[in-house]
Amino acid sequence: MQKENILITGSNGQIGTVLSQKLIEIYGYDNVLTTDIGHIDNIHGRFEKLDIMDVGHFKEIIHKYRITQIYHLASLLSAKGEKDPMFTWNINLNGLLNVLNLAKDNNINKIFFPSSIAVFGETTPKLNTAQDVPLLPDTVYGIGKVTGELWCNYYSKRYDMDIRSLRYPGIIGYQSLPGGGTTDYAVDIFHKAVKHEKYNCFLEKDTMMPMMYMDDAIHATIMLMEAPKEKIKLKYGYNIAAFSFTPEDIYLEIKKYYPDFEIEYNPDFRQKIADSWVKSIDDSKAREDWAWKPEYTFEHMVESMIRHLRAIYKEGEPTLS
Ligand code: AKB
């Protein structure tokens, strides 16, 4: 069996932090290289500073570490991306094209591209949204994900490359903090509750969005990447789903653990982004093709988040990415 050497871009991010540790656990410390634009202390793996726009340096690193697989997580998220659309487009789309071209020319045998529910938009049916639906996103992040999926599909077919992709819903985990997304509130709210502080929510109380616990998101990623190639029928982002809820739903569930917990709703520009996305997802294609199934229910996720964050805060203020 060929020895795999895995490179992760954006490994300091919300998903990257956790996925890196999982990949090290599976493939071993010496077979995983974490990379990001800067270093942070809570990555416990081999690390190289890497700007994905610096193709020359990127190529050197691929050769130096004999990289065979790339998990390309580096990108700006939906809310932050709106601050400078051209900059976001450059990093998110041209960054992906750098990865695809380097992979094509340097014997990379597998690539992971994270897509998102941000591909959906105004013309997409909002409930139980199927795999193949109209996509007309309102954010530059969403445009980058739709276009990114199309490029992945193109490179897979044109150059016979093994590129795999998931459309992540909002991800909730205790191990890391998200930054710059629209679904971030669903992580922030836990930190406030555990610290006995009031939460100021940037969305309306009845804004329903698809979400997933971090453990399930990592599990889905590993399942997809380890599935036999013939099982991967879609060369673009697979829908995956776990549960959907509103800020009021999660507030009321957390209140069961913290009866004095208070929330205030002050929607800002992120409300429009959330409204343009869908409310629930049909992930039957992923279930059929590679046997995807989430483990965590909404209630189980809330219990687990609170249990872990209580333990983390007992040690003092957490040093999360
Ligand atoms: C965001 O809110 O931008 C991300 C996403 C859903 O892709 N969490």
Side-chain angles (χ1 to χ4, degrees):
M1 206 171 105
Q2 189 190 350
K3 184 168 139 274
E4 298 296 343
N5 286 320
I6 298 175
L7 181 147
I8 307 158
T9 70
S11 62
N12 294 356
Q14 186 202 11
I15 296 175
T17 313
V18 189
L19 186 60
S20 308
Q21 298 315 308
K22 189 70 195 176
L23 290 171
I24 290 169
E25 222 177 280
I26 298 173
Y27 292 94
Y29 182 89
D30 290 338
N31 301 89
V32 177
L33 180 70
T34 65
T35 73
D36 210 307
I37 195 121
H39 191 251
I40 54 164
D41 286 338
N42 63 338
I43 297 276
H44 307 292
R46 293 187 311 167
F47 179 83
E48 283 272 0
K49 208 164 162 175
L50 173 65
D51 175 352
I52 56 165
M53 304 314 288
D54 184 347
V55 177
H57 186 218
F58 204 158
K59 189 172 167 181
E60 263 173 44
I61 288 183
I62 288 175
H63 285 219
K64 181 172 164 194
Y65 292 91
R66 299 174 195 279
I67 298 301
T68 58
Q69 295 190 9
I70 300 179
Y71 286 67
H72 175 47
L73 304 185
S75 85
L76 276 85
L77 295 186
S78 58
K80 192 166 180 197
E82 290 306 290
K83 302 235 151 80
D84 188 343
M86 285 306 113
F87 179 72
T88 303
W89 174 254
N90 191 34
I91 301 294
N92 290 7
L93 208 273
N94 292 329
L96 169 66
L97 289 175
N98 288 346
V99 170
L100 293 177
N101 286 321
L102 282 165
K104 171 168 78 63
D105 298 336
N106 295 279
N107 301 318
I108 302 296
N109 62 40
K110 225 186 256 182
I111 298 170
F112 176 71
F113 171 63
S115 188
S116 156
I117 54 166
V119 294
F120 303 124
E122 215 180 294
T123 52
T124 310
K126 299 271 180 220
L127 290 176
N128 210 21
T129 304
Q131 178 67 44
D132 293 311
V133 286
L135 305 175
L136 190 63
D138 278 352
T139 59
V140 65
Y141 172 70
I143 301 173
K145 291 299 186 194
V146 173
T147 324
E149 285 193 22
L150 293 174
W151 278 115
C152 288
N153 187 52
Y154 177 81
Y155 271 68
S156 295
K157 292 176 179 167
R158 170 84 203 263
Y159 303 111
D160 193 23
M161 289 167 69
D162 189 355
I163 308 169
R164 306 180 181 200
S165 178
L166 294 174
R167 291 173 180 161
Y168 287 125
I171 307 298
I172 303 158
Y174 58 87
Q175 305 94 326
S176 53
L177 283 175
T182 305
T183 58
D184 294 9
Y185 89 87
V187 178
D188 298 341
I189 192 170
F190 283 100
H191 287 263
K192 291 290 178 194
V194 174
K195 289 197 284 183
H196 302 279
E197 290 172 18
K198 182 174 176 173
Y199 184 57
N200 183 9
C201 186
F202 58 75
L203 296 179
E204 295 278 14
K205 57 160 68 173
D206 57 354
T207 311
M208 169 89 69
M209 285 192 284
M211 301 275 187
M212 181 177 287
Y213 197 41
M214 179 67 84
D215 295 38
D216 274 334
I218 300 299
H219 185 214
T221 311
I222 302 290
M223 275 187 84
L224 174 81
M225 290 300 274
E226 289 191 343
K229 195 174 175 196
E230 65 278 6
K231 298 256 179 216
I232 309 300
K233 306 266 165 47
L234 302 183
K235 308 296 178 197
Y236 54 97
Y238 272 97
N239 279 5
I240 52 165
F243 39 71
S244 295
F245 59 80
T246 66
E248 187 73 359
D249 292 333
I250 197 161
Y251 166 65
L252 293 175
E253 190 63 26
I254 292 173
K255 225 171 140 60
K256 292 183 185 164
Y257 299 80
Y258 294 96
D260 296 334
F261 186 40
E262 285 181 80
I263 192 165
E264 200 178 295
Y265 294 100
N266 289 301
D268 64 15
F269 72 102
R270 289 169 278 195
Q271 183 64 46
K272 258 180 92 177
I273 299 178
D275 288 341
S276 74
W277 293 349
V278 300
K279 295 181 191 305
S280 56
I281 303 277
D282 170 358
D283 60 359
S284 46
K285 264 314 268 171
R287 287 173 187 252
E288 276 164 31
D289 289 0
W290 42 276
W292 153 247
K293 192 156 86 52
E295 278 180 10
Y296 282 79
T297 62
F298 171 61
E299 291 80 10
H300 189 185
M301 174 276 290
V302 172
E303 183 280 321
S304 180
M305 278 297 284
I306 291 178
R307 183 162 36 84
H308 282 100
L309 284 180
R310 276 180 180 160
I312 290 171
Y313 276 100
K314 221 182 238 160
E315 307 281 313
E317 197 69 20
T319 47
L320 300 165
S321 63

